[in-house]
Amino acid sequence: MHFLATRLRWISYFSLDVVFGAMAGMLFFSKVAHVELAWPPYVLLALAVWCIYNLDHYLDSRKEEILLSSRRKFHRRSGNLILGLVFVFGILGLVGGFWWFGWGLELQLTIGLGLLIGGIRLLVWKFGKGWMKEFSIAVFYVAGISWLPFLSANPLDRSGEFFLFLGLYLLLALLNLLILSQLDAKEDQKAGFFSATKTISPQNLRQWIKNLGVALVVLQLALLIVLPSFFKIFGLILLLMTLVHVFVFLTNTLNPEQQRMRMEWAFSIPWVLLLF
């Protein structure tokens, strides 16, 4: 058990659980849109997500005078390794993108989306309020995992259900980020990080999380009744992912690290779609 817990902790520190979850999210939207993507887009998404998350964690770890979490201590100790891997994987991602897609519309739009995301995040960081960080990251995350399935889909498959699941996935990602913000509240406030806890009191943030979690569960239960039969499996998967977040949030026996890992692994539930 200790061996497994140690390995899961390392997976979490390197954000590999986030990578697996992002790939599962792309699979989710591909199935909703009746798109069969080859393996290269999943590899490119994995490289991009890994680089973004680990670089972000590394930069955070360099800002703090006193590190409270073992996660940020790890990123400070492993800084040179992480920067080296970010450089190598970043180059591989760029070369792979040109190799597999060429300078076509897909790659052009993807690069444009990346630049737009970077610009918006900079504006939010400079001029926005704390909660805008979580909301903008949720938008970027969902845009990143659904972008290629949307581009590759037949126009007839860009249905109302596709956009419905897009909105629900966005709200689930926001719920995840708000809970993580609460878990990191003490450290973020001590280090002066820009996050929801900078402008929202802990009591109000907890109420936001409760309201959003309950609203998502109720809405998803209702949708399971009215959705066409083909889409019910997707509604059920989203409901399971949401319930994991709600139960983790309401459970007092888990430490913050255990809560984080359970929520991140919840985003890998869509891998069950490979069985259908």
Side-chain angles (χ1 to χ4, degrees), residues 59-69 72 76 125 184-195 197-198:
L59 293 175
D60 281 349
S61 72
R62 309 304 295 182
K63 295 176 184 177
E64 295 183 66
E65 294 296 328
I66 300 176
L67 296 171
L68 301 179
S69 70
R72 284 171 174 156
R76 177 172 288 183
W125 180 70
D184 296 334
K186 182 184 296 185
E187 190 166 3
D188 286 350
Q189 290 175 350
K190 186 177 182 64
F193 286 154
F194 182 75
S195 67
T197 55
K198 193 169 185 178

Side-chain angles (χ1 to χ4, degrees), residues 84-97:
L85 290 175
V86 166
F87 177 78
V88 172
F89 291 161
I91 296 297
L92 287 176
L94 290 173
V95 173

Side-chain angles (χ1 to χ4, degrees), residues 29 81 103 111 160 181 183 193 239:
F29 285 107
L81 172 63
W103 186 242
I111 292 176
S181 180
L183 293 179
F193 286 154
L239 176 61

Side-chain angles (χ1 to χ4, degrees), residues 195-213:
S195 67
T197 55
K198 193 169 185 178
T199 54
I200 305 174
S201 68
Q203 295 78 13
N204 287 340
L205 180 59
R206 187 170 182 84
Q207 192 61 49
W208 278 34
I209 294 170
K210 283 184 179 179
N211 292 343
L212 180 56

Side-chain angles (χ1 to χ4, degrees), residues 42-102:
Y42 290 97
V43 174
L44 294 176
L45 177 67
L47 291 172
V49 170
W50 192 91
C51 289
I52 291 170
Y53 272 76
N54 279 277
L55 183 59
D56 185 63
H57 293 326
Y58 167 79
L59 293 175
D60 281 349
S61 72
R62 309 304 295 182
K63 295 176 184 177
E64 295 183 66
E65 294 296 328
I66 300 176
L67 296 171
L68 301 179
S69 70
S70 55
R71 176 183 298 272
R72 284 171 174 156
K73 290 178 181 177
F74 166 79
H75 278 85
R76 177 172 288 183
R77 290 196 308 268
S78 308
N80 291 335
L81 172 63
I82 289 171
L83 285 180
L85 290 175
V86 166
F87 177 78
V88 172
F89 291 161
I91 296 297
L92 287 176
L94 290 173
V95 173
F98 281 104
W99 179 268
W100 284 311
F101 298 116

Side-chain angles (χ1 to χ4, degrees), residues 221-236:
L221 285 172
L223 287 173
L224 283 179
I225 300 173
V226 302
L227 281 172
S229 57
F230 172 78
F231 294 104
K232 288 187 185 296
I233 182 63
F234 303 105
L236 179 59

Side-chain angles (χ1 to χ4, degrees), residues 2-250:
H2 177 71
F3 175 84
L4 178 60
T6 301
R7 294 301 178 271
L8 289 174
R9 188 178 300 113
W10 279 96
I11 289 173
S12 177
Y13 285 175
F14 273 112
S15 298
L16 293 177
D17 48 359
V18 179
V19 170
F20 297 144
M23 295 167 70
M26 180 180 279
L27 175 67
F28 178 92
F29 285 107
S30 298
K31 294 293 187 180
V32 170
H34 299 90
V35 172
E36 291 296 331
L37 293 176
W39 61 269
Y42 290 97
V43 174
L44 294 176
L45 177 67
L47 291 172
V49 170
W50 192 91
C51 289
I52 291 170
Y53 272 76
N54 279 277
L55 183 59
D56 185 63
H57 293 326
Y58 167 79
L59 293 175
D60 281 349
S61 72
R62 309 304 295 182
K63 295 176 184 177
E64 295 183 66
E65 294 296 328
I66 300 176
L67 296 171
L68 301 179
S69 70
S70 55
R71 176 183 298 272
R72 284 171 174 156
K73 290 178 181 177
F74 166 79
H75 278 85
R76 177 172 288 183
R77 290 196 308 268
S78 308
N80 291 335
L81 172 63
I82 289 171
L83 285 180
L85 290 175
V86 166
F87 177 78
V88 172
F89 291 161
I91 296 297
L92 287 176
L94 290 173
V95 173
F98 281 104
W99 179 268
W100 284 311
F101 298 116
W103 186 242
L105 181 62
E106 289 178 335
L107 185 59
Q108 292 174 27
L109 291 177
T110 301
I111 292 176
L113 176 64
L115 294 174
L116 179 63
I117 288 173
I120 292 175
R121 186 166 185 186
L122 180 62
L123 288 174
V124 169
W125 180 70
K126 286 288 187 181
F127 306 108
K129 295 185 178 180
W131 61 268
M132 293 181 181
K133 175 187 175 183
E134 280 73 17
F135 181 77
S136 61
I137 292 175
V139 171
F140 303 155
Y141 177 83
V142 176
I145 63 177
S146 64
W147 182 247
L148 198 55
F150 177 81
L151 287 179
S152 305
N154 186 298
L156 294 177
D157 290 319
R158 296 169 186 166
S159 60
E161 286 84 2
F162 183 92
F163 290 101
L164 173 63
F165 288 125
L166 197 69
L168 291 173
Y169 224 101
L170 171 62
L171 292 175
L172 175 59
L174 178 61
L175 178 66
N176 172 272
L177 289 163
L178 290 176
I179 296 175
L180 291 178
S181 180
Q182 187 196 47
L183 293 179
D184 296 334
K186 182 184 296 185
E187 190 166 3
D188 286 350
Q189 290 175 350
K190 186 177 182 64
F193 286 154
F194 182 75
S195 67
T197 55
K198 193 169 185 178
T199 54
I200 305 174
S201 68
Q203 295 78 13
N204 287 340
L205 180 59
R206 187 170 182 84
Q207 192 61 49
W208 278 34
I209 294 170
K210 283 184 179 179
N211 292 343
L212 180 56
V214 170
L216 273 175
V217 170
V218 171
L219 177 59
Q220 290 167 4
L221 285 172
L223 287 173
L224 283 179
I225 300 173
V226 302
L227 281 172
S229 57
F230 172 78
F231 294 104
K232 288 187 185 296
I233 182 63
F234 303 105
L236 179 59
I237 287 172
L238 271 177
L239 176 61
L240 291 175
M241 294 164 68
T242 303
L243 287 174
V244 170
H245 281 75
V246 172
F247 288 146
V248 165
F249 175 70
L250 296 176

